[in-house]
Amino acid sequence: MMVDKFKRSLTQRAITSPTSLGRTKQLPFEATQAAAPTPTPPALPEDVETQTEEKLFPPNKLYITMKLPPEVAILHIYQNGEDEYSVWGGNGVAGLPQTPPNQPPNLSLGKLVQNKELPEKIRDDMSYFSHVNLEIRKWLKRLKYKFGQQLCLVIADYTDFEIPWEMLELSPYESPNEYLGALMTTVRWRQIISGDDYVVLNFQADECCGNAVAYVLDTELKGVGPELDILEQLQAVVYRSSQHPIKTFQQYLQQHQVGCGFVYISCHGTFRGNLREITLGSDYDEQQQLKLLALRRCQLNLVKKSRGIVFINACHSGREQAHASIPHTYRMGFVELFLAKGARGVIGTLGAVGDSYAAKFARELIEASLRSPNLSVAALLRELRLRVVQKLPDEPTTQDLLPFIYTFMYVYYGNPMTVLRLTPPGGQDCV
């Protein structure tokens, strides 16, 4: 498929875009300065004729910029009925034809960890899953050979099967530990409704600058010291549960302020089939919880005006739930909420993460952003995954594999070229 034809085909699914979509910097998703803001372009008229490839494109809308860089590939996973899914891969150089419908594997990290499945079994099951998905692996390796570190994969999963695609092995058995999320820059994307419009994924040099605000549940979480230390070095505005009600933090997010590049939330996360029971905050005190549906009704002006990165370091924060009154393909969750409220990107988790490891991971991510200010958020996560993979011994134990599983639970939704440049009040970068 020719690149131009591929780009034209994308226009049928890209609805609107909040910023100019011109590509101004080179990949691999490193930028030296932010692109200047530009006016919002008009939506595509409904009567515009565009190229269609109904046999190739999934029935879901892409909501991805029309000016797709050639180094970007899109992996679509979409649902067929209630118990089947198919995969399709898009790229201007090499496309992946639509796969036959398959029954979903039992690979949801959230469910497996909740059921106390051994990390060894999770890793083995992912190897089996990777082994049989030959065509997907061949397509990814071809792209990796073509673009190297320039490659970025957008994972557009429209299902509720919660397959951890970042853990897909490119060469199981032949060359162990070649995990997708550790070798390629990956981001996730999905349909996001914001007001009367859709949020569109852009590929443009971009940066989040400014100070940080955080909420940390230090009365219940164990081992929160590492993250608090680095936040204090950043002179962040920190709300500790030992000193502040969580509603005070919520009120801060509603203030009309700009200049907040990073919103960090470290607490428990509760995930249930009932949307009313999905919360952030305390594990037992309802007065110290932010409920998903209640938060939706808030005007999070600081998030909207600052348009920073939101890191929800809480169990299940990246999971989503459908509702009986809305279409099945649109699911709600904290990632969807903060993107709809204006965040440039959101980091969440696919399941329950150990308290001490979560604090350690947060510190490592922030330190990595300070040490490598030109690396995008997506690339920083790739590097952290690669680091934990490289530490695995030849025959890892349960304790060796726990950090591996936890690290791959962290996923990022947003522009793969967005960098995070945290500065304390006063403007000087932390060293």
Side-chain angles (χ1 to χ4, degrees), residues 275 321-332:
L275 284 171
Q321 187 58 260
H323 190 274
S325 65
I326 61 176
H328 183 69
T329 54
Y330 195 94
R331 294 175 302 282
M332 295 182 179

Side-chain angles (χ1 to χ4, degrees), residues 4 46 91 268 341:
D4 288 343
E46 293 184 357
N91 176 263
H268 291 301
K341 296 292 186 181

Side-chain angles (χ1 to χ4, degrees), residues 147-421:
F147 297 110
Q149 289 294 311
Q150 300 281 322
L151 177 65
C152 172
L153 180 70
V154 179
I155 301 170
D157 193 337
Y158 311 101
T159 76
D160 56 6
F161 302 142
E162 300 185 316
I163 300 172
W165 293 100
E166 290 84 357
M167 286 181 66
L168 186 80
E169 290 190 68
L170 299 185
S171 302
Y173 310 124
E174 290 83 7
S175 192
N177 296 340
E178 291 188 352
Y179 293 96
L180 169 62
L183 297 179
M184 300 179 190
T185 300
T186 61
V187 301
R188 290 191 172 219
W189 196 244
R190 48 149 296 168
Q191 183 189 70
I192 304 290
I193 298 174
S194 178
D196 295 330
D197 214 339
Y198 295 98
V199 180
V200 174
L201 178 63
N202 296 305
F203 300 86
Q204 185 178 25
D206 189 23
E207 64 179 9
C208 291
C209 297
N211 55 10
V213 60
Y215 174 82
V216 179
L217 189 71
D218 62 345
T219 51
E220 296 181 32
L221 296 178
K222 298 178 181 178
V224 296
E227 56 191 340
L228 284 172
D229 288 345
I230 192 70
L231 288 168
E232 288 174 355
Q233 291 178 39
L234 286 167
Q235 300 178 39
V237 177
V238 180
Y239 291 89
R240 302 186 185 210
S241 60
S242 59
Q243 302 173 10
H244 307 95
I246 197 169
K247 296 299 193 298
T248 306
F249 170 70
Q250 178 183 343
Q251 291 169 3
Y252 187 87
L253 296 183
Q254 297 181 73
Q255 295 182 17
H256 290 270
Q257 292 190 20
V258 295
C260 180
F262 188 53
V263 177
Y264 178 70
I265 305 171
S266 177
C267 59
H268 291 301
T270 304
F271 185 77
R272 299 284 189 271
N274 185 345
L275 284 171
R276 295 183 179 276
E277 298 176 0
I278 297 179
T279 65
L280 293 175
S282 172
D283 218 10
Y284 57 86
D285 186 355
E286 289 192 11
Q287 298 302 313
Q288 297 297 325
Q289 293 177 349
L290 297 179
K291 296 184 181 294
L292 172 66
L293 294 187
L295 204 58
R296 298 184 72 86
R297 292 190 286 270
C298 293
Q299 298 297 320
L300 302 182
N301 297 303
L302 181 140
V303 176
K304 181 179 180 180
K305 292 178 178 294
S306 296
R307 300 196 65 240
I309 298 295
V310 177
F311 181 6
I312 316 171
N313 201 2
C315 298
H316 312 290
S317 60
R319 300 178 72 184
E320 301 171 323
Q321 187 58 260
H323 190 274
S325 65
I326 61 176
H328 183 69
T329 54
Y330 195 94
R331 294 175 302 282
M332 295 182 179
F334 287 106
V335 168
E336 175 259 347
L337 180 144
F338 279 104
L339 287 172
K341 296 292 186 181
R344 268 190 177 93
V346 180
I347 302 170
T349 67
L350 299 176
V353 179
D355 292 356
S356 297
Y357 182 80
K360 179 175 176 288
F361 182 88
R363 182 183 179 101
E364 289 180 349
L365 178 65
I366 295 172
E367 286 180 335
S369 72
L370 298 172
R371 186 172 55 249
S372 304
N374 292 330
L375 272 184
S376 69
V377 175
L380 292 174
L381 288 173
R382 180 197 68 209
E383 293 301 305
L384 292 179
R385 296 188 196 111
L386 179 61
R387 186 185 306 174
V388 76
V389 169
Q390 291 174 336
K391 289 181 179 179
L392 286 175
D394 293 338
E395 296 188 11
T397 65
T398 297
Q399 293 306 310
D400 294 325
L401 286 171
L402 274 175
F404 164 77
I405 299 294
Y406 288 152
T407 299
F408 275 81
M409 282 189 181
Y410 289 93
V411 295
Y412 169 72
Y413 285 76
N415 179 357
M417 298 179 71
T418 298
V419 299
L420 179 63
R421 292 203 172 96

Side-chain angles (χ1 to χ4, degrees), residues 24-185:
T24 59
K25 300 289 179 185
Q26 278 195 324
L27 306 180
F29 318 105
E30 299 180 2
T32 55
Q33 58 184 357
T38 52
T40 302
L44 291 175
E46 293 184 357
D47 59 349
V48 169
E49 291 289 331
T50 56
Q51 292 281 341
T52 61
E53 295 177 11
E54 294 298 336
K55 292 183 179 180
L56 287 180
F57 274 88
N60 310 81
K61 296 181 178 181
L62 299 180
Y63 304 103
I64 294 174
T65 173
M66 291 178 287
K67 295 184 178 179
L68 192 71
E71 303 92 337
V72 172
I74 308 174
L75 182 67
H76 301 273
I77 307 96
Y78 59 100
Q79 202 155 328
N80 299 318
E82 294 184 358
D83 58 356
E84 288 185 334
Y85 75 98
S86 292
V87 173
W88 174 87
N91 176 263
V93 173
L96 172 69
Q98 180 178 321
T99 64
N102 285 294
Q103 290 187 337
N106 182 26
L107 290 172
S108 165
L109 294 181
K111 295 176 182 177
L112 292 173
V113 172
Q114 187 172 354
N115 294 334
K116 299 182 179 180
E117 196 70 73
L118 285 174
E120 294 92 323
K121 186 177 185 304
I122 296 175
R123 187 193 188 206
D124 289 344
D125 288 351
M126 274 305 304
S127 292
Y128 306 149
F129 176 76
S130 303
H131 180 66
V132 299
N133 278 284
L134 176 62
E135 295 306 318
I136 297 176
R137 292 193 289 111
K138 288 169 61 178
W139 176 64
L140 291 171
K141 285 195 281 190
R142 181 180 175 188
L143 293 174
K144 184 174 178 292
Y145 176 80
K146 171 70 175 177
F147 297 110
Q149 289 294 311
Q150 300 281 322
L151 177 65
C152 172
L153 180 70
V154 179
I155 301 170
D157 193 337
Y158 311 101
T159 76
D160 56 6
F161 302 142
E162 300 185 316
I163 300 172
W165 293 100
E166 290 84 357
M167 286 181 66
L168 186 80
E169 290 190 68
L170 299 185
S171 302
Y173 310 124
E174 290 83 7
S175 192
N177 296 340
E178 291 188 352
Y179 293 96
L180 169 62
L183 297 179
M184 300 179 190
T185 300

